[in-house]
Amino acid sequence: MSSRLRIAIQKGGRLSEKSLKLLNQAGLDFDNRKERLFYSCQNFPLDIMFLRDDDIPEYVSDGICDLGIVGVNVLEEKKLGRITHSPLQIKKLKNLGFAKCHLAIALPEKDQFDGPGSLSKKRIATSYPHLLKKYLSDNNVEAEIVEISGSVEIAPTLKIADAICDLVSTGGTLRSNQLKEVQKVLESESCLIQTETKLSEEKATDIQRLLDRISGVMLAAETKYIMLNAPLDAVDKIKSLIPGMEEPTIIPLASDASKVAVHAVARENVFWETIENLKLAGASSILVLPIEKIIS
Ligand code: PRP
Ligand code: ZN
């Protein structure tokens, strides 16, 4: 058996590029020849296998791939689909924070909706029949599920369904098809999954290394380093305005005894409003810098 990890990533589509970017940011180098189904990392014992996202849970469950990056939507749909026979042998390691979207039920804009009961006896088109079935049974609604593999949003126009249950991200697809969202079925984002088949100690160690790196990248993405000058008597106020701040470093200024430099790590995104408030509190020469890595 190979001692190299194998991770399954979506071949094309909404997760593909960002999954690769995340691995890149975690320090993994691989050659970028698009036509290949396999990338091999030169500086980490890991190979990437590109698959249709629908196939990723099965490959990971079967242990053909040790890891996978997949949407919670696909994972949950596949889990429900397998519940009656052998359940998927997968554990979720971490939500990855990108490809955020939700699965929702939508109706033609002109239709009335007064709660789940309004869906009774309707035909609902979806690529997520198991999640939809669960939603309907949880809400005691009897409706017909019309399973469609793509372009679900045009089903009402084609008169093959009265409603749809599909992924919504910006809402643009619904709007351009004169549909309105009426019920949220599932929140989704990308996540890292691992097979539950037994792995060698070597692989387990490498997974932990990869996880630590990914956590570092994700933490750094929302953390900023702030530097500013402040009047001495405004320091307390300024400290209270910096979001998620750890104890700052205060440095005297060479030229002006009434002012200090404040250097701080903000554990949350720093928005323009915060900067405006810092200015109002007396801060000047404000710098907000991205942080590349955080290792605690
Ligand atoms: C999803 C979904 C909608 C669209 C919604 O499709 O099926 O078509 O995204 O996004 P929006 O709210 O930003 O318009 P996806 O792009 O994943 O492709 P697919 O339908 O071909 O699977
Ligand atoms: Zn779509």
Side-chain angles (χ1 to χ4, degrees):
M1 256 211 80
S2 163
S3 61
R4 291 175 69 80
L5 288 171
R6 188 181 290 164
I7 187 169
I9 281 181
Q10 194 185 3
K11 188 161 49 175
R14 63 175 63 224
L15 267 71
S16 189
E17 215 170 291
K18 286 188 172 155
S19 304
L20 283 175
K21 186 171 165 218
L22 180 68
L23 294 177
N24 252 159
Q25 288 171 321
L28 276 55
D29 289 332
F30 29 82
D31 46 38
N32 255 349
R33 274 176 286 152
K34 261 274 174 249
E35 73 278 8
R36 288 173 49 203
L37 277 179
F38 248 120
Y39 282 180
S40 201
C41 287
Q42 287 106 42
N43 58 353
F44 199 91
L46 176 134
D47 297 319
I48 299 174
M49 190 172 175
F50 292 95
L51 295 172
R52 283 183 53 236
D53 64 346
D54 277 355
D55 295 333
I56 292 176
E58 301 273 347
Y59 273 70
V60 174
S61 175
D62 294 345
I64 299 170
C65 296
D66 310 298
L67 299 169
I69 295 179
V70 73
V72 168
N73 55 315
V74 173
L75 182 61
E76 293 304 318
E77 174 68 17
K78 294 289 166 192
K79 268 194 200 162
L80 286 175
R82 286 271 294 247
I83 234 158
T84 46
H85 37 297
S86 54
L88 285 178
Q89 303 291 312
I90 289 179
K91 61 181 169 198
K92 185 160 98 176
L93 295 179
K94 194 174 179 49
N95 278 349
L96 296 176
F98 61 87
K100 287 196 175 163
C101 59
H102 57 276
L103 186 66
I105 295 179
L107 294 178
E109 273 162 3
K110 57 176 179 12
D111 287 10
Q112 203 178 326
F113 183 79
D114 312 300
S118 298
L119 301 168
S120 177
K121 304 281 176 297
K122 287 205 190 298
R123 298 165 301 162
I124 310 175
T126 191
S127 312
Y128 297 86
H130 297 100
L131 283 166
L132 175 57
K133 189 171 167 210
K134 179 171 186 309
Y135 166 86
L136 293 171
S137 81
D138 286 351
N139 288 280
N140 294 315
V141 174
E142 273 189 44
E144 186 190 335
I145 298 174
V146 181
E147 191 174 342
I148 299 183
S149 62
S151 303
V152 169
E153 60 273 7
I154 60 173
T157 312
L158 296 178
K159 305 269 182 263
I160 51 178
D162 311 301
I164 67 166
C165 174
D166 197 16
L167 290 184
V168 180
S169 170
T170 60
T173 303
L174 292 186
R175 274 193 297 280
S176 56
N177 287 279
Q178 285 85 50
L179 298 167
K180 62 177 175 189
E181 179 178 336
V182 293
Q183 286 279 283
K184 201 170 271 189
V185 174
L186 180 84
E187 288 287 353
S188 182
E189 64 181 271
S190 52
C191 66
L192 181 66
I193 54 175
Q194 181 185 328
T195 186
E196 280 187 331
T197 54
K198 179 116 183 64
L199 297 181
S200 67
E201 217 165 285
E202 210 178 344
K203 279 191 174 181
T205 307
D206 287 330
I207 289 176
Q208 192 53 52
R209 277 175 70 208
L210 184 63
L211 256 182
D212 288 346
R213 291 192 190 189
I214 288 175
S215 300
V217 171
M218 289 177 66
L219 194 58
E222 56 197 36
T223 308
K224 297 285 177 286
Y225 195 76
I226 300 185
M227 302 197 283
L228 53 83
N229 292 344
L232 255 181
D233 55 8
V235 167
D236 283 342
K237 168 84 180 160
I238 281 172
K239 275 162 75 174
S240 74
L241 289 172
I242 300 178
M245 193 199 55
E246 299 188 340
E247 196 50 39
T249 307
I250 311 279
I251 309 161
L253 290 187
S255 57
D256 186 347
S258 70
K259 280 188 175 178
V260 288
V262 178
H263 290 194
V265 171
R267 293 268 176 192
E268 288 165 36
N269 241 324
V270 179
F271 295 105
W272 280 108
E273 287 77 9
T274 307
I275 295 173
E276 286 158 7
N277 289 333
L278 287 169
K279 262 185 99 172
L280 284 175
S284 57
S285 305
I286 304 170
L287 292 181
V288 180
L289 308 174
I291 292 178
E292 199 179 274
K293 298 184 179 72
I294 294 182
I295 295 92
S296 46

